[in-house]
Amino acid sequence: MGRQSSIEKFRFGILPKMIVSFLLVSILPLAILGYIAGKNLEEVGLDALNSAEKMGRGSLLAAENLGAMAIKDSVNALDEKSTEAIELRTVELAQRIADFLYERDQDILFLASVRRDPTRYLQIYQNARRDVILPVPSAGPETPSPRTEPVIGWQNPDNKTSWRHHPPDRFNRVSKPLYREITFVDLAGQEQIKIVDGQVSRDLRKVSDQANTTCKAEDYFTRLVALERGEIYVSRVIGPYVPGWLTKTEEGIKVKPESAYAGKENPDGRRFEGIIRWATPVFAGNGEKLGYVTLALDHTHVMEFTDHVIPTEDRFAEHSDGGSGNYAFLWDDQDKCISHARDFFIYGYDPETGRPVPGWLSQEIYDAFKAGGLSLEEFEQQLPSYENFRMEKNGSSEQMEAGRVPLDCRVLDMAPQCQGWHTGTEDGGSGSFLIFWSGLWKLTTYATVPYYTGRYGASKRGFGYVTIGANVDDFHQAANVTKTYIEKGISEQSTHIQEAVDKAKQAIEQSARKNRGLMSIITLFAAVLIIGASIAISYTITGPLRRLTDVALAMSRGDLDQHIEVASRDETGRLANAFNQMASAVVEVDRMKSEFVTIASHELRTPIHSMLLGVSGMLGGYAGAISDEVREDLLVVEDGIERLRRLVDNLLDLSRIESRKMELYLSDLSVKEIIDTALTELSDLTMLHRHQVVAEIGPEIPMVRGDRDRLVQVFVNLLSNSIKYTPEQGRIMVRAQLEDGKVVLMVADNGYGIPAWAQEKIFERFFQADQIMSQKVGGSGLGLTISKWIVEQHEGSITCESPISKGRFPNLPLGGERKGTVFLVELPLSPAI
């Protein structure tokens, strides 16, 4: 601050004023004239250059518009072709599933025609097999691609144009039985023959009792009675629900490892295992109905059609990827999910109760369920289908936390695409639409599975429908490449134009610089002459004044022993003589003041001590018994003497500080010991005011370097202020903590606080914010001044804050007129720490 102040004074001194005045009168007109001439020349050149640049920019803009139009047309064409291709792939996939299901019709009819023999049934079971992809167990979060063979290139140059080759998929395929079980059931519902797990089973059950069926959920036997010869019963997908959990992360929605299988997201999870049961009656040669044969298809073979299909260049994948949005899935004729990249979305049953697990609802609908008295299954049964479906809704968090989130499109009211699929398959057709889902535009296709056997012939929707989701940005990747080339060309052309403009500007600016340089040399030469003359004239005036200013600043900092050499007899010389006389008088006055304070303090301390001993003796009964009235008067006298003693001690300390005679005796000190000593000295005063003082000095607070007696004096001053200026039965807290390599001690109270205007002045000598209160409690206005000096000599700091912010000291009751005050003392750590 001192250096900055000197600079400010120099800037506005005599010499700068003379230099500026001469420069303004002589140099400014010349500089303005040169500037105007150079500016006019430069503007003429730049106007011509701007016209040429504008023409170039116009050409570039036309090229950009043409490129944007071409890219838009390319994107639309690619989108249409890609959409048509994925729609066709969806229809073909649905037809393949239907063909596969019709083959099972032939199997059940064939089984009804063969003899009822366990060996024959076992032979049929063993011959009915189909390959499925069995993914290799994952070694980490990313499953390696099975394509490891090099891509074959063209051999004949005539074939190289747009050559595309895909190597065969090398997935790990295994042969798996088509059926989980084959049975013959008599007319009473008792199994007579049963093939399970590749062998004849002896565990023959009465399936007319639903508790003996898969998941306790099959009621097929009651439906077989009405079947005629050649008629087939086909169940819906039945299997135990496999739970799963989704969680939100910074990277998006993730599948928890303990969840069901979820393709790439959780390749090691437990898979959904369900069946679809076929049944038909068996008749004797005379037309007598003997019973029924059933085939329980392993639902894995149906899921194989969709689990590995992806609408990208890869075409097929070992693991589907539900997180990417590029995958296929399957719904039954009642809009329930029966195949999905995440198996916990597949609709299933509770094996304990035989009841279906209710579908996932939006939080809005789930909250309505909680307000009623129905079970969740009963509540869903009475919900209208496809009502108020909106993308803004969120899924029920309670169902997510429970891991029970099967998808039932009829009530999945936060997924509007469900309503689109349902509507599009009402007539047994196929199609697609775009939807903005999870922050991306996605194409979703749908196609009816045209299988109409048994119950599936009740609607044109047949067995159900296949849907495929695809990211739209992947469609027009080629157009994006073209866009990059066009933008790169435009950017290069823009760079060329800019380079030409920059070269022309440089030529114009170079010419202008030459003119400005000539004018600058002339101006600079004139300025040097003027500045030299100004310095020569002003040096004889400013030199003595600067010396006088430096000496005055030194005296203001307390260094009173100053003297100026008188080098002339002019006005500055006489001013220097007068200053020297004034400095000598100030030194003498300061010496007399210090001697007076020191002598007066020493002379007063002896009688004060004697009076204090005498009064204490009389109060102690050494002069005989005294009455209560005399005791009360003596206590008043003792308090006054004690106040006088503190005032004398403070004056003596202040005198030592100002005369730089106060010395510090430093050692390594315990913060707790300092605070405990100060509290002990003030214990009587604390009890008198009935305050509660709490010290929170933890054992982790390190040692500080300081003068023990002086630091105790600081905290006696701070604590006595809090004790005196806090109303009766107050609370005072002392806390220590380590911050940025320093120990910060806080003395806080719940008194009336200190006004904001007074917080910067309380450390000034003899300052008292409240004169009446200070006279009442005996304050002299010196304690905080002395404390500030002691702390700063320890290379620390002391500050005050009032009122105390809410929550800073939770155990310090504030409120009403009690605003509180906190003093913060920062002390350096001991060098040994």
Side-chain angles (χ1 to χ4, degrees):
M1 289 297 294
R3 181 180 179 186
Q4 184 179 356
S5 178
S6 300
I7 292 173
E8 291 297 325
K9 292 180 180 178
F10 178 80
R11 286 178 179 172
F12 297 97
I14 295 174
L15 177 58
K17 289 179 180 177
M18 292 183 65
I19 293 174
V20 171
S21 299
F22 287 147
L23 288 176
L24 287 175
V25 173
S26 304
I27 302 301
L28 187 59
L30 182 62
I32 293 175
L33 181 62
Y35 173 78
I36 292 174
K39 191 69 175 176
N40 287 338
L41 290 173
E42 187 176 359
E43 286 180 354
V44 171
L46 289 177
D47 286 343
L49 184 63
N50 288 335
S51 298
E53 184 180 8
K54 186 179 293 184
M55 293 177 61
R57 296 297 178 192
S59 299
L60 282 177
L61 180 61
E64 288 178 358
N65 291 335
L66 182 61
M69 185 179 299
I71 291 169
K72 182 178 179 181
D73 291 343
S74 298
V75 167
N76 290 336
L78 287 171
D79 283 351
E80 290 178 3
K81 293 297 183 182
S82 299
T83 299
E84 181 65 30
I86 296 177
E87 283 185 5
L88 178 60
R89 191 175 187 187
T90 308
V91 171
E92 290 175 346
L93 183 58
Q95 185 62 55
R96 288 176 56 207
I97 295 173
D99 293 343
F100 174 77
L101 297 175
Y102 276 123
E103 289 174 2
R104 308 290 71 78
D105 289 356
Q106 298 303 315
D107 286 351
I108 192 68
L109 293 176
F110 171 74
L111 184 63
S113 66
V114 302
R115 69 179 183 274
R116 301 184 306 283
D117 178 64
T119 303
R120 181 60 173 155
Y121 280 15
L122 179 59
Q123 183 181 10
I124 293 173
Y125 175 93
Q126 293 173 340
N127 291 335
R129 306 181 70 86
R130 194 169 186 270
D131 285 352
V132 298
I133 295 173
L134 185 64
V136 177
S138 65
E142 294 294 333
T143 302
S145 172
R147 292 180 175 176
T148 57
E149 298 181 1
V151 177
I152 296 176
W154 53 268
Q155 300 294 325
N156 190 317
D158 292 337
N159 301 329
K160 71 178 182 180
T161 304
S162 298
W163 173 272
R164 297 181 64 189
H165 172 77
H166 293 274
D169 294 322
R170 298 298 184 187
F171 297 127
N172 181 33
R173 300 178 185 272
V174 297
S175 178
K176 188 176 183 181
L178 278 174
Y179 300 107
R180 290 285 186 85
E181 64 179 35
I182 299 176
T183 66
F184 175 77
V185 182
D186 65 19
L187 297 177
Q190 177 64 48
E191 293 177 337
Q192 299 295 328
I193 302 174
K194 188 174 185 178
I195 308 298
V196 178
D197 296 331
Q199 59 186 356
V200 178
S201 175
R202 295 182 179 180
D203 181 20
L204 302 177
R205 301 186 179 188
K206 194 173 184 64
V207 294
S208 57
D209 183 355
Q210 189 170 323
N212 293 324
T213 62
T214 304
C215 290
K216 301 179 182 179
E218 292 188 274
D219 60 353
Y220 67 92
F221 183 77
T222 60
R223 303 173 182 269
L224 302 182
V225 179
L227 292 180
E228 299 294 338
R229 186 188 298 271
E231 292 183 336
I232 300 173
Y233 163 84
V234 186
S235 75
R236 293 191 173 90
V237 176
I238 297 174
Y241 176 73
V242 186
W245 292 266
L246 295 171
T247 181
K248 291 183 179 179
T249 67
E250 294 180 356
E251 301 175 357
I253 298 295
K254 296 293 183 182
V255 176
K256 292 186 176 181
E258 60 268 28
S259 299
Y261 171 79
K264 287 184 178 180
E265 297 175 296
N266 191 31
D268 300 321
R270 186 160 65 93
R271 292 174 175 266
F272 177 86
E273 297 181 355
I275 66 165
I276 304 175
R277 189 176 295 275
W278 270 258
T280 192
V282 176
F283 292 87
N286 59 4
E288 177 187 3
K289 183 185 289 188
L290 303 176
Y292 310 93
V293 289
T294 77
L295 292 172
L297 175 69
D298 187 342
H299 182 54
T300 300
H301 292 287
V302 176
M303 293 192 292
E304 280 290 293
F305 285 98
T306 58
D307 276 356
H308 308 287
V309 172
I310 52 174
T312 65
E313 289 186 354
D314 290 337
R315 302 179 182 178
F316 300 98
E318 186 178 31
H319 291 285
S320 56
D321 186 2
S324 69
N326 293 322
Y327 58 92
F329 40 111
L330 183 62
W331 307 81
D332 70 8
D333 63 321
Q334 295 203 332
D335 304 289
K336 293 180 175 62
C337 184
I338 57 174
S339 180
H340 198 281
R342 294 164 173 165
D343 278 22
F344 51 81
F345 281 158
I346 298 176
Y347 198 85
Y349 292 79
D350 184 342
E352 298 297 324
T353 64
R355 305 301 302 167
V357 176
W360 194 14
L361 303 174
S362 68
Q363 189 65 55
E364 177 181 317
I365 299 300
Y366 195 84
D367 289 342
F369 149 69
K370 290 190 295 184
L374 300 176
S375 68
L376 184 56
E377 182 182 352
E378 293 170 338
F379 177 79
E380 283 195 1
Q381 288 176 353
Q382 54 88 35
L383 279 177
S385 298
Y386 300 106
E387 182 176 275
N388 196 23
F389 274 46
R390 297 198 314 273
M391 197 179 304
E392 296 81 11
K393 294 182 178 181
N394 294 317
S396 160
S397 60
E398 288 90 338
Q399 289 176 285
M400 290 178 64
E401 290 173 2
R404 297 166 75 86
V405 286
L407 303 185
D408 183 345
C409 251
R410 296 171 303 172
V411 295
L412 194 64
D413 57 321
M414 60 280 197
Q417 58 268 43
C418 281
Q419 194 165 7
W421 299 330
H422 179 83
T423 302
T425 56
E426 282 186 351
D427 63 351
S430 62
S432 65
F433 55 90
L434 291 176
I435 188 166
F436 192 72
W437 184 256
S438 299
L440 295 172
W441 280 105
K442 294 187 177 181
L443 173 73
T444 177
T445 62
Y446 58 87
T448 301
V449 178
Y451 174 74
Y452 300 103
T453 298
R455 71 173 71 209
Y456 296 110
S459 73
K460 295 181 179 180
R461 192 170 285 112
F463 183 76
Y465 48 92
V466 176
T467 60
I468 295 180
N471 190 339
V472 172
D473 288 341
D474 294 338
F475 297 170
H476 40 251
Q477 185 175 1
N480 289 335
V481 173
T482 303
K483 177 181 178 181
T484 301
Y485 286 142
I486 293 174
E487 290 177 345
K488 181 179 179 181
I490 293 174
S491 177
E492 291 176 350
Q493 189 64 26
S494 176
T495 302
H496 294 329
I497 294 175
Q498 189 62 48
E499 288 176 353
V501 171
D502 291 341
K503 288 181 180 179
K505 283 184 178 180
Q506 290 175 0
I508 295 172
E509 290 174 354
Q510 187 176 4
S511 177
R513 280 197 301 271
K514 289 181 179 179
N515 293 332
R516 289 194 296 268
L518 181 60
M519 292 299 301
S520 298
I521 292 173
I522 298 172
T523 304
L524 181 61
F525 181 72
V528 170
L529 293 178
I530 293 172
I531 292 173
S534 301
I535 292 174
I537 295 172
S538 63
Y539 182 75
T540 57
I541 300 174
T542 59
L545 292 179
R546 284 199 299 272
R547 290 196 298 273
L548 182 62
T549 301
D550 292 340
V551 171
L553 288 174
M555 293 184 68
S556 69
R557 292 193 294 268
D559 188 4
L560 302 180
D561 189 12
Q562 297 293 329
H563 183 78
I564 301 176
E565 293 183 5
V566 179
S568 66
R569 296 184 179 181
D570 57 9
E571 288 82 356
T572 56
R574 289 196 295 272
L575 177 61
N577 278 325
F579 185 86
N580 287 336
Q581 294 173 7
M582 179 196 71
S584 298
V586 170
V587 170
E588 181 63 21
V589 170
D590 183 69
R591 183 187 63 79
M592 294 173 63
K593 180 206 70 171
S594 297
E595 288 182 357
F596 171 76
V597 172
T598 302
I599 294 170
S601 299
H602 279 292
E603 291 299 324
L604 287 172
R605 290 177 78 178
T606 300
I608 289 172
H609 185 65
S610 299
M611 288 187 292
L612 189 59
L613 285 176
V615 173
S616 298
M618 286 186 285
L619 287 171
Y622 295 107
I626 57 176
S627 64
D628 292 340
E629 294 180 358
V630 172
R631 178 175 294 278
E632 185 175 348
D633 292 338
L634 287 174
L635 287 173
V636 173
V637 171
E638 183 184 38
D639 183 62
I641 296 172
E642 182 62 32
R643 290 168 59 182
L644 184 58
R645 181 187 66 79
R646 288 196 300 272
L647 176 59
V648 169
D649 289 343
N650 285 338
L651 286 172
L652 185 57
D653 284 343
L654 186 62
S655 175
R656 290 173 179 166
I657 290 171
E658 292 178 344
S659 62
R660 296 175 175 80
K661 293 181 180 179
M662 180 178 283
E663 297 182 1
L664 299 179
Y665 301 96
L666 303 179
S667 62
D668 293 340
L669 303 173
S670 165
V671 173
K672 187 175 188 304
E673 181 184 352
I674 294 171
I675 299 302
D676 289 345
T677 303
L679 291 174
T680 301
E681 290 188 17
L682 296 170
S683 59
D684 291 341
L685 184 61
T686 303
M687 293 178 62
L688 179 63
H689 289 272
R690 294 181 294 171
H691 291 327
Q692 182 183 5
V693 180
V694 179
E696 299 176 353
I697 313 294
E700 73 280 2
I701 301 301
M703 306 280 279
V704 297
R705 187 74 171 173
D707 185 313
R708 179 185 182 282
D709 294 337
R710 292 303 176 187
L711 289 180
V712 170
Q713 181 181 355
V714 169
F715 288 99
V716 166
N717 285 338
L718 297 179
L719 286 165
S720 62
N721 271 2
S722 292
I723 292 171
K724 293 175 183 178
Y725 290 99
T726 299
E728 298 291 315
Q729 297 181 340
R731 186 176 176 87
I732 299 167
M733 298 186 68
V734 183
R735 180 185 295 173
Q737 61 189 39
L738 189 62
E739 291 184 5
D740 300 329
K742 291 185 177 182
V743 173
V744 179
L745 291 107
M746 293 169 277
V747 178
D749 61 61
N750 63 345
Y752 296 133
I754 299 174
W757 64 268
Q759 291 179 28
E760 293 296 327
K761 297 183 177 182
I762 59 174
F763 296 104
E764 297 177 2
R765 67 181 71 179
F766 302 113
F767 176 79
Q768 295 174 333
D770 189 335
Q771 296 288 342
I772 296 176
M773 180 61 73
S774 296
Q775 292 175 7
K776 181 178 178 181
V777 302
S780 64
L782 293 174
L784 291 179
T785 304
I786 295 170
S787 297
K788 180 177 177 64
W789 184 88
I790 293 173
V791 172
E792 290 177 348
Q793 292 304 303
H794 282 79
E795 299 182 357
S797 65
I798 180 171
T799 56
C800 172
E801 296 179 10
S802 182
I804 298 177
S805 59
K806 188 175 182 180
R808 187 169 183 180
F809 296 91
N811 297 325
L812 191 67
L814 299 171
E817 296 183 355
R818 293 182 182 244
K819 306 299 182 182
T821 304
V822 59
F823 284 91
L824 296 96
V825 178
E826 287 190 2
L827 293 174
L829 299 179
S830 168
I833 301 301

